[in-house]
Amino acid sequence: QVQLVESGGGLVQPGGSLRLSCAASGSILSSNVMAWYRQAPGKQRELVAAISRTGGTNYADSVKGRFTISRDNAKNTVYLQMNSLKPEDTAVYYCNAGPSMRTTTRYDYWGQGTQVTVSS
């Protein structure tokens, strides 16, 4: 029943920053994990970052040190702060709610996606 709505995507220059938001219709604590995935043209969908109910995190090697996932349980919102953006970060970013910190499952809920374009 969970609905997820992403926002905050857009066009940004290399080296710039962007913050994505994912607003959930219900408590984000109802899912074990909240995560961000992305898919670039011609590439497979990949995990960007995940955060558990207890605050543990998991990041793709390609974004470690640049991206930060966080959650505000009172606002039922998950964020992805993206710094030092690179052209290879260009993709559609999807919010995800599910049981796993590392894989997608048939129990996952997905947002509609928001486009992030990093270009001069």
Side-chain angles (χ1 to χ4, degrees), residues 38-47:
R38 69 185 181 187
Q39 186 165 28
K43 301 181 69 175
Q44 66 180 13
R45 180 180 56 195
E46 65 174 346
L47 175 70

Side-chain angles (χ1 to χ4, degrees), residues 1-14:
Q1 193 269 338
V2 176
Q3 295 180 9
L4 305 172
V5 180
E6 303 97 332
S7 62
L11 175 65
V12 64
Q13 292 188 338

